[in-house]
Amino acid sequence: MFQIVLHFLVPALIAGMFYRKMLWKAWLIMIATMIVDLDHLLANPIYDSNRCSIGFHPLHSYLAVGIYIGLLSFPRLRLIAAGLVIHMALDYVDCFM
């Protein structure tokens, strides 16, 4: 449950630190990237508390994470990329909890 809260809190902190003039818009864009979790529906079972998402689900693959990091270099895509990178980082941390 704490991990889910972090998926909302960390983007809020990033939006507050770097996008203060458009705080809500930046936060909502980063939150919208949680749609990446739709790839969990491809797994059987859909949720397994002992499974690490990183490297297992297609949109959580190492290649996908590399692409998300690369997208940070494009200003027009930076908020989307930041949301995806934050999401992957939090999922990665969850693998060790």
Side-chain angles (χ1 to χ4, degrees):
M1 190 62 157
F2 180 66
Q3 212 254 356
I4 293 170
V5 171
L6 287 177
H7 279 288
F8 288 91
L9 184 62
V10 173
L13 292 172
I14 298 299
M17 288 177 9
F18 299 105
Y19 298 97
R20 186 162 296 273
K21 289 186 179 182
M22 51 184 255
L23 176 77
W24 291 106
K25 181 180 178 182
W27 181 72
L28 287 172
I29 289 170
M30 288 189 277
I31 292 304
T33 64
M34 283 201 282
I35 197 165
V36 76
D37 274 342
L38 285 176
D39 66 352
H40 289 247
L41 297 175
L42 300 172
N44 187 15
I46 292 173
Y47 176 74
D48 181 356
S49 61
N50 295 319
R51 179 173 57 217
C52 180
S53 295
I54 304 300
F56 184 82
H57 302 292
L59 297 176
H60 291 70
S61 68
Y62 293 106
L63 174 62
V65 173
I67 291 170
Y68 305 152
I69 291 170
L71 290 175
L72 288 168
S73 63
F74 297 95
R76 298 193 91 175
L77 299 174
R78 193 162 290 146
L79 279 172
I80 295 168
L84 290 166
V85 170
I86 291 166
H87 184 95
M88 296 302 138
L90 291 171
D91 281 1
Y92 182 74
V93 169
D94 191 44
C95 293
F96 300 101
M97 296 181 99

Short mmCIF file of all heavy atoms in Angstrom, two decimals, residues 4-67:
data_model
loop_
_atom_site.label_atom_id
_atom_site.label_comp_id
_atom_site.label_asym_id
_atom_site.label_seq_id
_atom_site.Cartn_x
_atom_site.Cartn_y
_atom_site.Cartn_z
N ILE A 4 2.07 2.24 -3.44
CA ILE A 4 1.07 2.91 -4.27
C ILE A 4 1.01 4.40 -3.92
O ILE A 4 0.93 5.25 -4.81
CB ILE A 4 -0.31 2.24 -4.11
CG1 ILE A 4 -0.26 0.84 -4.69
CG2 ILE A 4 -1.40 3.07 -4.77
CD1 ILE A 4 -1.47 -0.01 -4.39
N VAL A 5 1.09 4.71 -2.64
CA VAL A 5 1.10 6.11 -2.21
C VAL A 5 2.31 6.83 -2.80
O VAL A 5 2.20 7.98 -3.25
CB VAL A 5 1.09 6.20 -0.67
CG1 VAL A 5 1.31 7.63 -0.20
CG2 VAL A 5 -0.21 5.65 -0.11
N LEU A 6 3.45 6.15 -2.83
CA LEU A 6 4.65 6.76 -3.40
C LEU A 6 4.48 7.09 -4.88
O LEU A 6 5.05 8.06 -5.38
CB LEU A 6 5.86 5.84 -3.22
CG LEU A 6 6.41 5.74 -1.80
CD1 LEU A 6 7.56 4.74 -1.74
CD2 LEU A 6 6.85 7.09 -1.28
N HIS A 7 3.70 6.28 -5.61
CA HIS A 7 3.45 6.54 -7.02
C HIS A 7 2.70 7.85 -7.24
O HIS A 7 2.72 8.41 -8.34
CB HIS A 7 2.68 5.38 -7.67
CG HIS A 7 3.55 4.22 -8.04
ND1 HIS A 7 4.43 4.25 -9.09
CD2 HIS A 7 3.67 2.99 -7.50
CE1 HIS A 7 5.05 3.10 -9.19
NE2 HIS A 7 4.60 2.31 -8.22
N PHE A 8 2.04 8.35 -6.22
CA PHE A 8 1.36 9.64 -6.30
C PHE A 8 2.18 10.75 -5.66
O PHE A 8 2.19 11.88 -6.14
CB PHE A 8 -0.02 9.56 -5.62
CG PHE A 8 -1.02 8.77 -6.41
CD1 PHE A 8 -1.17 7.41 -6.18
CD2 PHE A 8 -1.79 9.37 -7.38
CE1 PHE A 8 -2.08 6.66 -6.90
CE2 PHE A 8 -2.70 8.64 -8.13
CZ PHE A 8 -2.85 7.28 -7.88
N LEU A 9 2.88 10.42 -4.58
CA LEU A 9 3.63 11.41 -3.82
C LEU A 9 4.91 11.87 -4.52
O LEU A 9 5.19 13.07 -4.59
CB LEU A 9 3.95 10.85 -2.43
CG LEU A 9 4.65 11.79 -1.46
CD1 LEU A 9 3.77 13.01 -1.18
CD2 LEU A 9 4.96 11.06 -0.17
N VAL A 10 5.68 10.94 -5.04
CA VAL A 10 6.96 11.30 -5.67
C VAL A 10 6.74 12.21 -6.88
O VAL A 10 7.42 13.25 -7.01
CB VAL A 10 7.80 10.05 -6.01
CG1 VAL A 10 9.03 10.41 -6.82
CG2 VAL A 10 8.20 9.32 -4.73
N PRO A 11 5.80 11.90 -7.80
CA PRO A 11 5.55 12.86 -8.89
C PRO A 11 5.10 14.23 -8.38
O PRO A 11 5.44 15.26 -8.97
CB PRO A 11 4.45 12.19 -9.72
CG PRO A 11 4.64 10.74 -9.46
CD PRO A 11 5.06 10.65 -8.02
N ALA A 12 4.36 14.27 -7.29
CA ALA A 12 3.94 15.55 -6.72
C ALA A 12 5.17 16.34 -6.25
O ALA A 12 5.24 17.56 -6.45
CB ALA A 12 2.97 15.33 -5.57
N LEU A 13 6.11 15.66 -5.62
CA LEU A 13 7.33 16.32 -5.17
C LEU A 13 8.15 16.84 -6.34
O LEU A 13 8.65 17.97 -6.31
CB LEU A 13 8.17 15.37 -4.31
CG LEU A 13 7.58 14.99 -2.96
CD1 LEU A 13 8.41 13.89 -2.30
CD2 LEU A 13 7.48 16.20 -2.06
N ILE A 14 8.28 16.04 -7.38
CA ILE A 14 9.03 16.45 -8.57
C ILE A 14 8.33 17.64 -9.24
O ILE A 14 8.98 18.61 -9.64
CB ILE A 14 9.18 15.27 -9.56
CG1 ILE A 14 9.97 14.12 -8.93
CG2 ILE A 14 9.81 15.74 -10.88
CD1 ILE A 14 11.38 14.46 -8.54
N ALA A 15 7.02 17.57 -9.37
CA ALA A 15 6.27 18.67 -9.96
C ALA A 15 6.45 19.94 -9.14
O ALA A 15 6.61 21.04 -9.69
CB ALA A 15 4.79 18.30 -10.08
N GLY A 16 6.42 19.82 -7.83
CA GLY A 16 6.59 20.97 -6.95
C GLY A 16 7.98 21.57 -7.03
O GLY A 16 8.15 22.79 -6.93
N MET A 17 8.98 20.73 -7.21
CA MET A 17 10.36 21.22 -7.26
C MET A 17 10.73 21.82 -8.62
O MET A 17 11.45 22.82 -8.66
CB MET A 17 11.33 20.07 -6.93
CG MET A 17 11.29 19.68 -5.48
SD MET A 17 12.33 18.28 -4.94
CE MET A 17 13.37 17.86 -6.26
N PHE A 18 10.27 21.22 -9.72
CA PHE A 18 10.74 21.62 -11.04
C PHE A 18 9.67 22.28 -11.92
O PHE A 18 10.01 22.89 -12.93
CB PHE A 18 11.32 20.42 -11.78
CG PHE A 18 12.50 19.82 -11.08
CD1 PHE A 18 12.38 18.63 -10.39
CD2 PHE A 18 13.73 20.46 -11.08
CE1 PHE A 18 13.47 18.07 -9.74
CE2 PHE A 18 14.82 19.92 -10.43
CZ PHE A 18 14.70 18.72 -9.76
N TYR A 19 8.41 22.13 -11.58
CA TYR A 19 7.34 22.64 -12.43
C TYR A 19 6.31 23.42 -11.61
O TYR A 19 5.12 23.26 -11.78
CB TYR A 19 6.65 21.48 -13.17
CG TYR A 19 7.56 20.73 -14.09
CD1 TYR A 19 8.17 19.55 -13.67
CD2 TYR A 19 7.82 21.19 -15.37
CE1 TYR A 19 9.03 18.86 -14.51
CE2 TYR A 19 8.66 20.51 -16.22
CZ TYR A 19 9.28 19.34 -15.79
OH TYR A 19 10.11 18.66 -16.63
N ARG A 20 6.79 24.28 -10.74
CA ARG A 20 5.91 24.98 -9.82
C ARG A 20 4.83 25.80 -10.54
O ARG A 20 3.71 25.86 -10.10
CB ARG A 20 6.72 25.89 -8.89
CG ARG A 20 5.85 26.53 -7.83
CD ARG A 20 6.63 27.07 -6.67
NE ARG A 20 7.34 26.08 -5.90
CZ ARG A 20 6.82 25.40 -4.88
NH1 ARG A 20 5.57 25.58 -4.55
NH2 ARG A 20 7.55 24.55 -4.21
N LYS A 21 5.16 26.40 -11.68
CA LYS A 21 4.19 27.24 -12.40
C LYS A 21 3.06 26.42 -13.01
O LYS A 21 1.99 26.95 -13.28
CB LYS A 21 4.88 28.06 -13.48
CG LYS A 21 5.74 29.16 -12.91
CD LYS A 21 6.28 30.04 -14.00
CE LYS A 21 7.12 31.14 -13.38
NZ LYS A 21 7.63 32.07 -14.37
N MET A 22 3.33 25.15 -13.26
CA MET A 22 2.29 24.28 -13.83
C MET A 22 2.20 22.99 -13.01
O MET A 22 2.14 21.90 -13.54
CB MET A 22 2.56 23.99 -15.30
CG MET A 22 3.95 23.49 -15.61
SD MET A 22 4.19 23.28 -17.37
CE MET A 22 4.12 21.51 -17.52
N LEU A 23 2.19 23.18 -11.71
CA LEU A 23 2.24 22.07 -10.75
C LEU A 23 1.21 20.99 -11.03
O LEU A 23 1.55 19.81 -11.17
CB LEU A 23 2.05 22.62 -9.33
CG LEU A 23 1.97 21.59 -8.21
CD1 LEU A 23 3.35 21.07 -7.90
CD2 LEU A 23 1.34 22.17 -6.99
N TRP A 24 -0.07 21.36 -11.12
CA TRP A 24 -1.13 20.36 -11.29
C TRP A 24 -1.05 19.66 -12.63
O TRP A 24 -1.23 18.44 -12.71
CB TRP A 24 -2.51 20.99 -11.09
CG TRP A 24 -2.73 21.38 -9.67
CD1 TRP A 24 -2.73 22.63 -9.15
CD2 TRP A 24 -2.92 20.49 -8.56
NE1 TRP A 24 -2.92 22.59 -7.78
CE2 TRP A 24 -3.05 21.28 -7.40
CE3 TRP A 24 -3.00 19.11 -8.44
CZ2 TRP A 24 -3.26 20.74 -6.15
CZ3 TRP A 24 -3.20 18.56 -7.18
CH2 TRP A 24 -3.32 19.37 -6.06
N LYS A 25 -0.76 20.41 -13.67
CA LYS A 25 -0.65 19.81 -15.00
C LYS A 25 0.51 18.82 -15.04
O LYS A 25 0.38 17.70 -15.55
CB LYS A 25 -0.46 20.89 -16.06
CG LYS A 25 -0.35 20.35 -17.46
CD LYS A 25 -0.16 21.48 -18.47
CE LYS A 25 0.00 20.90 -19.87
NZ LYS A 25 0.21 21.97 -20.86
N ALA A 26 1.66 19.22 -14.50
CA ALA A 26 2.82 18.34 -14.48
C ALA A 26 2.53 17.08 -13.67
O ALA A 26 2.86 15.97 -14.09
CB ALA A 26 4.03 19.08 -13.90
N TRP A 27 1.90 17.25 -12.52
CA TRP A 27 1.58 16.10 -11.67
C TRP A 27 0.62 15.16 -12.39
O TRP A 27 0.81 13.96 -12.39
CB TRP A 27 0.99 16.58 -10.35
CG TRP A 27 0.66 15.47 -9.41
CD1 TRP A 27 1.55 14.70 -8.71
CD2 TRP A 27 -0.64 15.00 -9.07
NE1 TRP A 27 0.86 13.78 -7.95
CE2 TRP A 27 -0.49 13.94 -8.16
CE3 TRP A 27 -1.93 15.37 -9.44
CZ2 TRP A 27 -1.56 13.25 -7.61
CZ3 TRP A 27 -3.00 14.68 -8.90
CH2 TRP A 27 -2.81 13.63 -7.99
N LEU A 28 -0.42 15.71 -13.01
CA LEU A 28 -1.40 14.87 -13.70
C LEU A 28 -0.78 14.12 -14.88
O LEU A 28 -1.10 12.95 -15.11
CB LEU A 28 -2.59 15.70 -14.16
CG LEU A 28 -3.53 16.16 -13.06
CD1 LEU A 28 -4.55 17.14 -13.61
CD2 LEU A 28 -4.21 14.97 -12.40
N ILE A 29 0.12 14.76 -15.61
CA ILE A 29 0.78 14.08 -16.72
C ILE A 29 1.61 12.92 -16.20
O ILE A 29 1.57 11.81 -16.74
CB ILE A 29 1.65 15.07 -17.53
CG1 ILE A 29 0.74 16.02 -18.31
CG2 ILE A 29 2.60 14.33 -18.47
CD1 ILE A 29 1.47 17.18 -18.97
N MET A 30 2.36 13.16 -15.12
CA MET A 30 3.19 12.07 -14.57
C MET A 30 2.33 10.95 -13.99
O MET A 30 2.68 9.78 -14.11
CB MET A 30 4.18 12.63 -13.54
CG MET A 30 5.29 13.42 -14.17
SD MET A 30 6.60 13.89 -13.03
CE MET A 30 5.88 15.35 -12.29
N ILE A 31 1.21 11.30 -13.38
CA ILE A 31 0.30 10.29 -12.84
C ILE A 31 -0.33 9.47 -13.97
O ILE A 31 -0.52 8.27 -13.84
CB ILE A 31 -0.79 10.95 -11.96
CG1 ILE A 31 -0.17 11.54 -10.71
CG2 ILE A 31 -1.89 9.96 -11.60
CD1 ILE A 31 0.61 10.57 -9.87
N ALA A 32 -0.62 10.13 -15.08
CA ALA A 32 -1.24 9.44 -16.22
C ALA A 32 -0.35 8.33 -16.77
O ALA A 32 -0.85 7.38 -17.37
CB ALA A 32 -1.58 10.45 -17.31
N THR A 33 0.95 8.43 -16.53
CA THR A 33 1.85 7.38 -17.04
C THR A 33 1.68 6.06 -16.31
O THR A 33 2.25 5.06 -16.73
CB THR A 33 3.33 7.83 -16.97
OG1 THR A 33 3.70 8.02 -15.61
CG2 THR A 33 3.55 9.10 -17.77
N MET A 34 0.89 6.05 -15.25
CA MET A 34 0.63 4.78 -14.56
C MET A 34 -0.15 3.82 -15.43
O MET A 34 -0.29 2.65 -15.10
CB MET A 34 -0.07 5.02 -13.23
CG MET A 34 0.88 5.51 -12.16
SD MET A 34 0.28 5.25 -10.50
CE MET A 34 -0.86 6.59 -10.34
N ILE A 35 -0.63 4.31 -16.57
CA ILE A 35 -1.31 3.43 -17.52
C ILE A 35 -0.36 2.33 -18.00
O ILE A 35 -0.80 1.30 -18.50
CB ILE A 35 -1.89 4.25 -18.71
CG1 ILE A 35 -2.93 3.43 -19.44
CG2 ILE A 35 -0.79 4.73 -19.63
CD1 ILE A 35 -3.80 4.23 -20.38
N VAL A 36 0.93 2.56 -17.82
CA VAL A 36 1.93 1.55 -18.19
C VAL A 36 1.69 0.24 -17.43
O VAL A 36 2.11 -0.83 -17.88
CB VAL A 36 3.36 2.10 -17.95
CG1 VAL A 36 3.71 2.11 -16.49
CG2 VAL A 36 4.39 1.31 -18.73
N ASP A 37 0.99 0.30 -16.33
CA ASP A 37 0.71 -0.91 -15.55
C ASP A 37 -0.34 -1.81 -16.20
O ASP A 37 -0.60 -2.90 -15.69
CB ASP A 37 0.27 -0.55 -14.13
CG ASP A 37 1.46 -0.34 -13.20
OD1 ASP A 37 2.57 -0.80 -13.55
OD2 ASP A 37 1.27 0.26 -12.14
N LEU A 38 -0.91 -1.39 -17.31
CA LEU A 38 -1.85 -2.26 -18.01
C LEU A 38 -1.19 -3.56 -18.46
O LEU A 38 -1.86 -4.57 -18.65
CB LEU A 38 -2.47 -1.54 -19.21
CG LEU A 38 -3.53 -0.50 -18.87
CD1 LEU A 38 -4.00 0.21 -20.13
CD2 LEU A 38 -4.71 -1.14 -18.16
N ASP A 39 0.14 -3.53 -18.61
CA ASP A 39 0.82 -4.76 -19.02
C ASP A 39 0.75 -5.84 -17.94
O ASP A 39 0.99 -7.01 -18.21
CB ASP A 39 2.26 -4.50 -19.45
CG ASP A 39 3.17 -4.02 -18.34
OD1 ASP A 39 2.67 -3.73 -17.22
OD2 ASP A 39 4.38 -3.90 -18.58
N HIS A 40 0.38 -5.48 -16.74
CA HIS A 40 0.21 -6.47 -15.67
C HIS A 40 -0.96 -7.41 -16.00
O HIS A 40 -1.01 -8.54 -15.50
CB HIS A 40 -0.06 -5.78 -14.33
CG HIS A 40 1.14 -5.09 -13.77
ND1 HIS A 40 1.78 -5.50 -12.63
CD2 HIS A 40 1.82 -4.00 -14.20
CE1 HIS A 40 2.80 -4.70 -12.38
NE2 HIS A 40 2.84 -3.77 -13.32
N LEU A 41 -1.89 -6.94 -16.81
CA LEU A 41 -3.04 -7.76 -17.18
C LEU A 41 -2.64 -8.95 -18.05
O LEU A 41 -3.41 -9.90 -18.19
CB LEU A 41 -4.10 -6.91 -17.89
CG LEU A 41 -4.72 -5.80 -17.06
CD1 LEU A 41 -5.64 -4.95 -17.93
CD2 LEU A 41 -5.45 -6.35 -15.86
N LEU A 42 -1.45 -8.91 -18.62
CA LEU A 42 -0.97 -10.01 -19.46
C LEU A 42 -0.40 -11.17 -18.65
O LEU A 42 -0.17 -12.24 -19.18
CB LEU A 42 0.10 -9.50 -20.44
CG LEU A 42 -0.34 -8.40 -21.40
CD1 LEU A 42 0.86 -7.87 -22.17
CD2 LEU A 42 -1.41 -8.92 -22.34
N ALA A 43 -0.15 -10.93 -17.38
CA ALA A 43 0.48 -11.94 -16.52
C ALA A 43 -0.57 -12.85 -15.89
O ALA A 43 -1.72 -12.48 -15.71
CB ALA A 43 1.30 -11.26 -15.42
N ASN A 44 -0.12 -14.03 -15.56
CA ASN A 44 -0.99 -14.99 -14.86
C ASN A 44 -0.21 -15.54 -13.67
O ASN A 44 0.78 -16.24 -13.88
CB ASN A 44 -1.42 -16.11 -15.79
CG ASN A 44 -2.44 -17.02 -15.15
OD1 ASN A 44 -3.03 -16.68 -14.14
ND2 ASN A 44 -2.63 -18.17 -15.76
N PRO A 45 -0.59 -15.22 -12.47
CA PRO A 45 -1.70 -14.37 -12.04
C PRO A 45 -1.38 -12.91 -12.31
O PRO A 45 -0.22 -12.53 -12.44
CB PRO A 45 -1.82 -14.64 -10.54
CG PRO A 45 -0.44 -14.99 -10.12
CD PRO A 45 0.16 -15.72 -11.30
N ILE A 46 -2.42 -12.09 -12.37
CA ILE A 46 -2.25 -10.66 -12.65
C ILE A 46 -1.38 -10.02 -11.58
O ILE A 46 -0.50 -9.22 -11.89
CB ILE A 46 -3.62 -9.96 -12.76
CG1 ILE A 46 -4.34 -10.46 -14.02
CG2 ILE A 46 -3.48 -8.46 -12.77
CD1 ILE A 46 -5.76 -9.98 -14.15
N TYR A 47 -1.60 -10.37 -10.33
CA TYR A 47 -0.81 -9.81 -9.24
C TYR A 47 -0.15 -10.93 -8.46
O TYR A 47 -0.80 -11.90 -8.08
CB TYR A 47 -1.68 -8.97 -8.29
CG TYR A 47 -0.91 -8.47 -7.09
CD1 TYR A 47 0.00 -7.43 -7.23
CD2 TYR A 47 -1.07 -9.04 -5.84
CE1 TYR A 47 0.73 -6.97 -6.15
CE2 TYR A 47 -0.34 -8.58 -4.75
CZ TYR A 47 0.55 -7.55 -4.92
OH TYR A 47 1.27 -7.11 -3.84
N ASP A 48 1.13 -10.80 -8.26
CA ASP A 48 1.89 -11.74 -7.44
C ASP A 48 2.82 -10.91 -6.57
O ASP A 48 3.72 -10.23 -7.07
CB ASP A 48 2.69 -12.70 -8.32
CG ASP A 48 3.48 -13.72 -7.52
OD1 ASP A 48 3.48 -13.65 -6.28
OD2 ASP A 48 4.09 -14.59 -8.14
N SER A 49 2.59 -10.93 -5.27
CA SER A 49 3.37 -10.07 -4.36
C SER A 49 4.85 -10.43 -4.34
O SER A 49 5.67 -9.61 -3.94
CB SER A 49 2.80 -10.16 -2.95
OG SER A 49 2.87 -11.48 -2.47
N ASN A 50 5.21 -11.61 -4.78
CA ASN A 50 6.61 -12.03 -4.79
C ASN A 50 7.30 -11.80 -6.13
O ASN A 50 8.46 -12.16 -6.29
CB ASN A 50 6.72 -13.51 -4.41
CG ASN A 50 6.27 -13.74 -2.99
OD1 ASN A 50 6.57 -12.96 -2.10
ND2 ASN A 50 5.51 -14.80 -2.78
N ARG A 51 6.59 -11.24 -7.09
CA ARG A 51 7.15 -11.06 -8.44
C ARG A 51 7.64 -9.63 -8.60
O ARG A 51 6.97 -8.67 -8.23
CB ARG A 51 6.08 -11.36 -9.48
CG ARG A 51 6.55 -11.19 -10.90
CD ARG A 51 5.55 -11.64 -11.93
NE ARG A 51 4.28 -10.96 -11.77
CZ ARG A 51 3.11 -11.57 -11.96
NH1 ARG A 51 3.04 -12.83 -12.30
NH2 ARG A 51 1.98 -10.90 -11.80
N CYS A 52 8.82 -9.48 -9.18
CA CYS A 52 9.36 -8.16 -9.49
C CYS A 52 8.86 -7.75 -10.87
O CYS A 52 9.03 -8.49 -11.85
CB CYS A 52 10.89 -8.21 -9.48
SG CYS A 52 11.66 -6.63 -9.86
N SER A 53 8.23 -6.60 -10.96
CA SER A 53 7.69 -6.12 -12.23
C SER A 53 8.78 -5.83 -13.25
O SER A 53 8.61 -6.05 -14.45
CB SER A 53 6.87 -4.85 -12.01
OG SER A 53 5.75 -5.10 -11.22
N ILE A 54 9.89 -5.30 -12.77
CA ILE A 54 10.98 -4.91 -13.67
C ILE A 54 11.59 -6.17 -14.29
O ILE A 54 12.00 -7.09 -13.61
CB ILE A 54 12.06 -4.10 -12.93
CG1 ILE A 54 11.46 -2.89 -12.24
CG2 ILE A 54 13.19 -3.70 -13.87
CD1 ILE A 54 10.78 -1.89 -13.16
N GLY A 55 11.60 -6.18 -15.61
CA GLY A 55 12.14 -7.31 -16.33
C GLY A 55 11.13 -8.43 -16.56
O GLY A 55 11.43 -9.40 -17.25
N PHE A 56 9.94 -8.31 -16.01
CA PHE A 56 8.93 -9.36 -16.18
C PHE A 56 7.85 -8.93 -17.17
O PHE A 56 7.55 -9.64 -18.11
CB PHE A 56 8.29 -9.73 -14.83
CG PHE A 56 7.31 -10.87 -14.94
CD1 PHE A 56 7.77 -12.18 -14.95
CD2 PHE A 56 5.96 -10.64 -15.06
CE1 PHE A 56 6.88 -13.24 -15.07
CE2 PHE A 56 5.05 -11.67 -15.18
CZ PHE A 56 5.51 -12.99 -15.20
N HIS A 57 7.26 -7.78 -16.94
CA HIS A 57 6.19 -7.28 -17.80
C HIS A 57 6.80 -6.55 -19.00
O HIS A 57 7.84 -5.90 -18.87
CB HIS A 57 5.26 -6.34 -17.03
CG HIS A 57 4.64 -6.98 -15.83
ND1 HIS A 57 3.70 -7.97 -15.91
CD2 HIS A 57 4.83 -6.76 -14.51
CE1 HIS A 57 3.33 -8.34 -14.71
NE2 HIS A 57 4.01 -7.61 -13.82
N PRO A 58 6.15 -6.61 -20.18
CA PRO A 58 6.73 -5.99 -21.39
C PRO A 58 7.04 -4.50 -21.26
O PRO A 58 8.11 -4.05 -21.70
CB PRO A 58 5.66 -6.22 -22.47
CG PRO A 58 4.76 -7.28 -21.95
CD PRO A 58 4.88 -7.29 -20.46
N LEU A 59 6.14 -3.73 -20.67
CA LEU A 59 6.39 -2.29 -20.53
C LEU A 59 7.26 -1.95 -19.33
O LEU A 59 7.55 -0.78 -19.06
CB LEU A 59 5.06 -1.52 -20.46
CG LEU A 59 4.19 -1.63 -21.71
CD1 LEU A 59 2.85 -0.93 -21.50
CD2 LEU A 59 4.91 -1.08 -22.92
N HIS A 60 7.70 -2.98 -18.61
CA HIS A 60 8.62 -2.84 -17.49
C HIS A 60 9.95 -3.53 -17.81
O HIS A 60 10.75 -3.80 -16.91
CB HIS A 60 8.03 -3.46 -16.22
CG HIS A 60 6.86 -2.71 -15.66
ND1 HIS A 60 5.64 -2.66 -16.27
CD2 HIS A 60 6.74 -1.97 -14.53
CE1 HIS A 60 4.81 -1.95 -15.54
NE2 HIS A 60 5.45 -1.51 -14.48
N SER A 61 10.18 -3.85 -19.08
CA SER A 61 11.42 -4.53 -19.48
C SER A 61 12.59 -3.56 -19.40
O SER A 61 12.42 -2.33 -19.39
CB SER A 61 11.28 -5.07 -20.90
OG SER A 61 11.21 -4.00 -21.83
N TYR A 62 13.79 -4.12 -19.38
CA TYR A 62 14.99 -3.28 -19.33
C TYR A 62 15.10 -2.42 -20.58
O TYR A 62 15.52 -1.26 -20.51
CB TYR A 62 16.23 -4.13 -19.12
CG TYR A 62 16.25 -4.77 -17.75
CD1 TYR A 62 16.00 -6.13 -17.60
CD2 TYR A 62 16.50 -4.02 -16.61
CE1 TYR A 62 16.00 -6.73 -16.35
CE2 TYR A 62 16.49 -4.58 -15.35
CZ TYR A 62 16.24 -5.95 -15.23
OH TYR A 62 16.23 -6.53 -13.99
N LEU A 63 14.71 -2.95 -21.73
CA LEU A 63 14.71 -2.18 -22.96
C LEU A 63 13.75 -0.99 -22.85
O LEU A 63 14.10 0.14 -23.21
CB LEU A 63 14.33 -3.05 -24.16
CG LEU A 63 14.18 -2.33 -25.49
CD1 LEU A 63 15.49 -1.69 -25.92
CD2 LEU A 63 13.67 -3.30 -26.55
N ALA A 64 12.55 -1.25 -22.36
CA ALA A 64 11.56 -0.18 -22.20
C ALA A 64 12.08 0.89 -21.24
O ALA A 64 11.94 2.09 -21.51
CB ALA A 64 10.23 -0.75 -21.70
N VAL A 65 12.68 0.48 -20.14
CA VAL A 65 13.21 1.45 -19.17
C VAL A 65 14.30 2.30 -19.83
O VAL A 65 14.34 3.52 -19.64
CB VAL A 65 13.75 0.73 -17.91
CG1 VAL A 65 14.46 1.71 -17.00
CG2 VAL A 65 12.62 0.02 -17.18
N GLY A 66 15.13 1.68 -20.65
CA GLY A 66 16.16 2.43 -21.38
C GLY A 66 15.55 3.46 -22.32
O GLY A 66 16.04 4.59 -22.43
N ILE A 67 14.48 3.08 -22.98
CA ILE A 67 13.77 4.01 -23.87
C ILE A 67 13.18 5.17 -23.06
O ILE A 67 13.29 6.33 -23.46
CB ILE A 67 12.68 3.28 -24.67
CG1 ILE A 67 13.35 2.33 -25.68
CG2 ILE A 67 11.75 4.26 -25.36
CD1 ILE A 67 12.40 1.37 -26.36
#
